[in-house]
Amino acid sequence: MFRVLALAVAVAATTGVAGAQATGTYKSTVKPASKTSTAKHRTAIKKAESQAALQREAKIPEATARATALAEVPNGTVKSSELEREKGKLIYSYDISVPGKTGIEEIAVNAIDGTIVSREHETPKMEKKEAAKEAKEKKAK
């Protein structure tokens, strides 16, 4: 262990001295990528990887979670769904519309054990506010 540490220190010291002794003025002919395109590309990859990572982490299949959510809201129809991490928990979130009622029922199902995490009724006004907030967050990224 001591030899490895001593070797690493020696290499670092030699590299530092050699770098300090270099006197040439070299210009790179490689043009750096524009920051905006690189940042957008990284964000897209990171988002795709994170969604894939969330799916690998989930223990409950999406179909099972959907059935659990629909059992909670009789006569409901799933309007939208997503797998996300919310307040540290991995959840399937379902927006379920009910015929004859305004707004939606938002049901969160734990993606690890399949239990209902939360149930909330969102009025059309609340839905609009949430959509605006999400659009603003997407634009900021």
Side-chain angles (χ1 to χ4, degrees), residues 25-46:
T25 55
Y26 300 102
K27 288 190 176 181
S28 174
T29 58
V30 178
K31 198 173 193 179
S34 72
K35 289 183 181 181
T36 56
S37 67
T38 304
K40 286 180 185 176
H41 182 67
R42 283 188 198 135
T43 302
I45 290 173
K46 191 173 188 179

Side-chain angles (χ1 to χ4, degrees), residues 16-113:
V17 170
Q21 291 176 350
T23 58
T25 55
Y26 300 102
K27 288 190 176 181
S28 174
T29 58
V30 178
K31 198 173 193 179
S34 72
K35 289 183 181 181
T36 56
S37 67
T38 304
K40 286 180 185 176
H41 182 67
R42 283 188 198 135
T43 302
I45 290 173
K46 191 173 188 179
K47 186 173 184 178
E49 288 174 346
S50 66
Q51 190 61 216
L54 292 176
Q55 288 173 346
R56 284 191 301 273
E57 192 177 330
K59 303 287 185 220
I60 303 299
E62 196 275 336
T64 303
R66 179 180 290 261
T68 302
L70 285 170
E72 191 73 15
V73 184
N75 301 321
T77 305
V78 175
K79 185 176 173 184
S80 67
S81 66
E82 74 179 305
L83 177 61
E84 62 184 334
R85 190 173 308 278
E86 195 171 277
K87 298 179 184 174
K89 292 183 179 180
L90 184 62
I91 63 166
Y92 290 103
S93 178
Y94 295 95
D95 290 344
I96 301 175
S97 62
V98 180
K101 282 189 166 181
T102 61
I104 59 161
E105 295 295 322
E106 186 175 318
I107 307 293
V109 179
N110 188 315
I112 304 301
D113 63 14

